[in-house]
Amino acid sequence: MIALRNPDRAARFLAFQNALGVPGLKLSYHASDRKDPGLMRWRPTNQTGDALIFKDAALARARARDMERNNDNVSGALRKISNNVVFRGIFPQAQCKLFDGTPDRIRARIIEKDFRAWSKAVKWKNKQKQTIRRGWMDGGVFVRFFPAPTLQRRGLVPLGIELLEVDHLDQNKNEILASGNIIRKGIEYTPDGFEAAYWLFPEHPGNSGGLLGRTLQSSLRVDAETCLFFTDPERPSQSLPIPWMISVTRGLHNFDEYDNDERLASRLAAKFGIFIINKATAWPGGAGGTGNDLEGNPFAGGGNGEIPDHIGAASIHELPHGREVQIASNPRPGNNHEAYARTSLRRASTGFGMSSASFSNDYTDATMSALRHAIQEERRGYRVQQDLLVDELCDVVWPIWLRYRALFGLGDDRDVEATWALGGWDWIDPYKDAKAAEILIGKRVESRTTFASQRGGDWEDTIVEIGQEEKMIAEHAPAPKEPAHGNNANG
């Protein structure tokens, strides 16, 4: 009827019905098919990132932390990631300049030495590793700065650093303040959207009774100038943290359960079980069961032996007439265990950004070319995490540390910039990689500084060390002089 009166309206109606998935009309995307039996029950919501995280984050963190404690693959992966990202620690290289713009290496070395001494006292390297691990397990971590009189008494820069797990955040706090700031899920924002403060519980809720602890203690305002929130959100609508490994938690848990069952079955199969089967229906000399008469009494002098309670090594036993020994057979693991394990670990390694061989420590089927490609991909992922650690932690700590150093009379350098020495890696194939570096440097495609930094070194420091070595060699172990070759008169 609509088509007869208004064809254009009928066409728009059919297009609208098509968008709703009416039978007979094709959808724009197969992923939105409402008739596919495999997709009918898959109806996720389009809530904001924070809305989804708010109700799921606590349980997700608890499960991730449990796997960190009890799953060997997860524990090993986290250790590999933190070791590769942090290695010996990420430390500053002060960029001090003289009046003419040339590098002031003496002043730079003094600042770096002070930072090294401070870093040992506050366990800087360990905090860097914990920060990366908390990202994978919790989705982030709070880093709070405070004056530390103990460090001042030791003659060090009195800047204390404390890591607080994301459980401290009062996610139930939502308020519009008289200043115009807005508190959303425990994070206070300025009117133009910048983080101004965090509302944190003074005690970890896990130490004060969980939900009951949250109701018994009040959150306190911690200014963003003295606290940073290390996190890496994946959605524009996300401000709350969620474990980076959330996508692999369920699959790894299922595999862990299956693997434990296979281990238990293998233990049971290893037990030496024997069944004694009675195949006789009558005694050769008369009626009755084997070894017993009809009343259940043993035959006198039957001569067919008794059934032993156990079998010892190198022993021979005669069984009663009609009895047969059958050994229980339950070969484990099952035929599909290896394939299932490999598939599960390969999927999990993808979620961690690692190669399957590295994640599972199984290099049996890996070729050299495949391993080389996988290692390069892994290292790109580690570089990304190093950059995140520098941008969100190191670059924030550095000016605060310089300010504390100046305020307490330990130096007057407030505006010194710094680059950060990142942990590098050895070459995969040293000879070929060294030849490639020689060619690229010779063609001026890459610099010596770049290659030194890729291996975790500093080219300027290397040149200074080489100069010192050459000087020591010249003083203490000079090369022997070659004898003079004069003209021979008879020559």
Side-chain angles (χ1 to χ4, degrees), residues 375-435:
I375 291 173
Q376 291 174 340
E377 287 291 331
E378 276 187 51
R379 290 179 177 179
R380 289 190 186 98
Y382 296 144
R383 281 295 187 195
V384 171
Q385 295 179 63
Q386 287 177 337
D387 292 340
L388 179 66
L389 203 59
V390 168
D391 294 341
E392 300 295 328
L393 177 65
C394 299
D395 281 346
V396 178
V397 170
W398 177 248
I400 299 175
W401 182 85
L402 286 177
R403 186 164 65 247
Y404 269 70
R405 182 173 180 264
L407 288 174
F408 289 89
L410 299 176
D412 57 355
D413 306 284
R414 289 174 177 256
D415 301 322
V416 176
E417 296 182 355
T419 59
W420 296 89
L422 306 176
W425 298 274
D426 293 331
W427 282 326
I428 302 173
D429 189 330
Y431 179 77
K432 292 182 179 179
D433 290 342
K435 294 296 292 183

